Structures are given as structure tokens and as C-alpha cells.
Amino acid sequence: MDSYDNLKAGEKGAWLSIITYIVLSVSKLLIGYFGNSEALMADGLNNSTDVIASIAVLIGLKIARKPPDQNHQYGHYRAETIASLIAAFIMVTVGIQVILEAVKNLSETGSEAPDMFTGWVALAGAAIMFCVYLYNIRLAKKINSRSVKAAAKDNLSDALVSIGAFIGIVGSQFGLDWLDTVTAIIVGLLIIKTGIGIFKESVLELTDAFEVEELEAIKETVKKNPRIEEVKSLKARMHGNQIFADLVIVIDHNLTVLESHLITEEIENRLLEQHHIQYVNIHIEPK
């Protein structure tokens, strides 16, 4: 499966998230309203904005599939990262809104405890979102997609948020009327935390950051070729779901051009097999 097929497969995860979020958001907002649950309504509002975030991921995946053109010689892979960045901004904005509304409601006295049915709805929503998370995290690892991974993290966060809403609703049944609203505040904080995490990962990728441990693993793979005297330089960066690497190696100056070329081909094949690197620029220097 090549990079474009991977992106196409990633769209399935985005569509699954979109459909699930639409169903859950409508259900939670309506049941939370009629069941008098601030926490469930906050959870439903979170799911409704997750629809927008998932659509952004879907659009990013579709743009990333476009082949290289005159202005994008390296392809459009980073549209996926930009989509993750947009999703992060949406999540943080919603989290702040949820907290502000919850604080306002906390100052109001005499609030009625929510119906226990809203708690079971929240718990069912958590189970559904956890299943969606399992599907998307496996898909993200299979196709090496940052945006699908971000969507999966959002799915898991939503499952935890729904569990928190359930706990708050249960507590309110025992006379802790304020607990449902406080849980809504915690929900908002969890939304912000997840959004900031996705934002950081996206910014690191856009600024060409790369994990040191993975870079060392790539270097060790290159060194396995006995004809390489030294790995003088190795740089790598993420470009959407692709790794771009630049490599400077030192070899015996007596080798022919053909022999040197065969060494570079062997390196390219090994990096593709072991690290899924399809784009590597190799510069050879004589010892």
C-alpha cells in the first residue's frame, strides 16, 4: 500500500468519527436538555464540535492525496498536519466555552439534580467512543497518519469525558447537586488538554522536529552496510504521513560509480522495509 492509498484508507476513520459524533451529539444535547444535565450537554457540545474537527481532518486527508504540482514539488502531505492544527484550535475554543458556561451555572442556586437516565446515556457514549478510538488508533499506526492519530486521541478523550459526565450525574443523585456542574468544568479542561496536545504535535511537525530516538534507529540501520565507513550526517523530518531523510555517508574512494550507486540503492530499500521511508536523499563522500 503506497502513501496515497494510506491516505485514502485514513478517510474511513474520519468518516466513522463524523457519523458517530453526529449521532452522539444530537442524542446527548437533547437528552441532556430534557434530563437537566449540564455535564451531558457539555459532552454533547464537545461531540458537535468534534464533527467540525473530523471534517477538517477529512478535508486534509483529501488534499494530501493530491499529486505533486508546480508549486508543491514534494506533494500536499502537510495538508494533513494543518487539518490537525485546525482541529486543535476548535477543541481548545470549545473547552473554554464549556468552562465559562459551567462557571456561570455554578453560581446559580437551587439547581435540580439531573435524571439518572442521562448518566446511562453518557456511559453508553463512552463505550461507543472507546470502540471508535480502537479502530482509529490501529488505522493510524497501520498507515502512519498523524491526523488520524490526532482523531484517535480525540476519540479517547471523548470517552473519558463521557465517563466523567457519568460520575458527575451519579454523584448528583446523592444530594451533591453541584457535582454535575463541576464535572462540566472538568470536561472543559480535558477538552483543552487534548487540544493543546494535538497542537504541540502539529507545530513540531510543521517546524521539522523529529524524534531523536527514531533518528538513532535509522542511523543504526544505515550502519549495517559494511561498505559504509561513516555516517557523517543524518537529518529527517515528517511531511504528513511520510518521512523525508537526508543522509551523508563516507565510503572507500576506490569504489566505482556503479558500486557506490548500488550501496545507495541498498540503503534506500532497507530504510523502506524497516522504517517505511520512501524519500531519502543520499550524498556520498570519499574517505
Side-chain angles (χ1 to χ4, degrees):
M1 182 180 288
D2 63 23
S3 58
Y4 292 107
D5 290 334
N6 284 340
L7 293 170
K8 178 65 176 177
E11 292 179 16
K12 296 178 181 178
W15 274 115
L16 177 61
S17 294
I18 291 170
I19 295 171
T20 305
Y21 281 136
I22 290 175
V23 173
L24 289 180
S25 63
V26 172
S27 302
K28 289 176 181 178
L29 288 171
L30 288 175
I31 295 173
Y33 177 78
F34 289 107
N36 192 39
S37 174
E38 294 288 343
L40 188 62
M41 289 184 67
D43 193 7
L45 180 61
N46 175 38
N47 290 157
S48 66
T49 53
D50 286 327
V51 174
I52 302 174
S54 296
I55 290 175
V57 170
L58 179 62
I59 294 173
L61 287 167
K62 286 186 176 295
I63 295 175
R65 286 175 56 209
K66 293 176 63 178
D69 56 32
Q70 186 175 358
N71 293 326
H72 303 86
Q73 297 291 333
Y74 293 100
H76 298 76
Y77 296 113
R78 278 192 170 166
E80 197 185 358
T81 311
I82 295 173
S84 299
L85 199 62
I86 294 171
F89 277 121
I90 293 173
M91 291 175 64
V92 171
T93 302
V94 172
I96 294 173
Q97 182 180 351
V98 167
I99 291 174
L100 292 176
E101 287 296 321
V103 169
K104 184 179 70 174
N105 292 329
L106 188 62
S107 63
E108 298 176 359
T109 58
S111 59
E112 182 182 349
D115 192 300
M116 188 56 207
F117 179 68
T118 61
W120 300 122
V121 171
L123 192 61
I128 292 171
M129 287 314 308
F130 186 71
C131 291
V132 175
Y133 159 74
L134 291 177
Y135 176 85
N136 277 336
I137 196 65
R138 288 171 183 168
L139 180 62
K141 290 178 181 178
K142 180 180 179 181
I143 67 176
N144 192 31
S145 171
R146 296 299 177 98
S147 63
V148 176
K149 182 181 177 182
K153 286 185 176 182
D154 190 21
N155 298 149
L156 180 59
S157 174
D158 292 328
L160 296 175
V161 163
S162 295
I163 291 174
F166 172 75
I167 293 172
I169 293 168
V170 170
S172 66
Q173 306 301 307
F174 296 93
L176 303 175
D177 298 337
W178 48 268
L179 188 57
D180 182 54
T181 304
V182 170
T183 304
I185 296 176
I186 297 174
V187 165
L189 292 174
L190 285 173
I191 296 170
I192 293 173
K193 180 178 182 295
T194 304
I196 291 175
I198 296 172
F199 173 81
K200 286 181 177 179
E201 286 190 6
S202 300
V203 169
L204 284 173
E205 182 174 328
L206 290 173
T207 54
D208 289 338
F210 199 81
E211 293 182 7
V212 177
E213 295 80 5
E214 190 172 355
L215 200 64
E216 286 299 319
I218 295 171
K219 189 174 184 178
E220 290 302 316
T221 299
V222 175
K223 285 181 177 179
K224 289 180 181 178
N225 189 311
R227 307 189 77 177
I228 296 176
E229 303 285 346
E230 178 189 354
V231 178
K232 192 171 184 179
S233 173
L234 174 61
K235 299 176 183 178
R237 55 193 169 92
M238 291 302 303
H239 200 73
N241 67 340
Q242 299 296 307
I243 298 176
F244 284 18
D246 295 287
L247 179 64
V248 178
I249 58 173
V250 178
I251 61 175
D252 188 345
H253 71 280
N254 292 314
L255 293 177
T256 65
V257 173
L258 177 58
E259 290 172 324
S260 301
H261 174 70
L262 292 175
I263 290 174
T264 62
E265 282 195 335
E266 191 275 337
I267 293 172
E268 290 171 353
N269 292 332
R270 186 172 291 183
L271 291 179
L272 179 61
E273 291 174 2
Q274 298 186 22
H275 301 279
H276 309 291
I277 300 176
Q278 294 186 355
Y279 303 93
V280 54
N281 180 37
I282 304 175
H283 174 72
I284 295 176
E285 291 186 358
K287 182 176 180 182

